[in-house]
Amino acid sequence: ICDTGDQQTTAAVLVKEPAATIVETLKDVTSYEGEDAVFECRLSRETSQDAQWFLGDVPLQSNEMNEIRVQGARHTLVLRKVTLEDCGPISFKVGQHTSAA
């Protein structure tokens, strides 16, 4: 705000977060039935952008079967005690960027 007493003008500052990119992509994992399968992806920066894991077309959430962790720019998915039904493509998406294994 600039105020001269009889006149006033205002302006605003808008800061946008730059888009994060995937700098370490997913790698294929082979596990035996009953073991955990761990997938990791690293981004160019920590971000508040929504990141999402998928098994096939199904979005995954942290629960008793899946553990999703974020440590700084590193995103990790743990599929616990996998079964043959868990076979399929895993993908990670953030903004317009995707990695798959």
Side-chain angles (χ1 to χ4, degrees):
I1 297 174
C2 180
D3 192 338
T4 63
D6 59 337
Q7 291 182 330
Q8 186 180 47
T9 184
T10 61
V13 173
L14 176 62
V15 179
K16 294 183 177 183
E17 180 181 32
T21 59
I22 298 171
V23 295
E24 187 178 309
T25 59
L26 294 175
K27 294 173 180 50
D28 293 341
V29 172
T30 301
S31 295
Y32 287 101
E33 201 167 17
E35 293 181 343
D36 291 349
V38 180
F39 297 88
E40 288 188 340
C41 217
R42 190 168 57 87
L43 302 181
S44 57
R45 58 189 299 284
E46 291 184 36
T47 180
S48 61
Q49 286 178 281
D50 289 333
Q52 181 67 59
W53 290 94
F54 294 86
L55 174 56
D57 293 330
V58 178
L60 299 175
Q61 298 178 2
S62 273
N63 55 36
E64 64 280 351
M65 298 173 63
N66 312 309
E67 179 183 353
I68 296 173
R69 294 188 302 245
V70 179
Q71 294 174 304
R74 183 164 302 282
H75 292 251
T76 305
L77 168 67
V78 180
L79 299 178
R80 293 193 184 111
K81 299 180 181 176
V82 293
T83 66
L84 293 176
E85 289 77 32
D86 294 318
C87 288
I90 293 287
S91 59
F92 175 81
K93 296 181 183 179
V94 61
Q96 300 296 318
H97 304 281
T98 301
S99 181

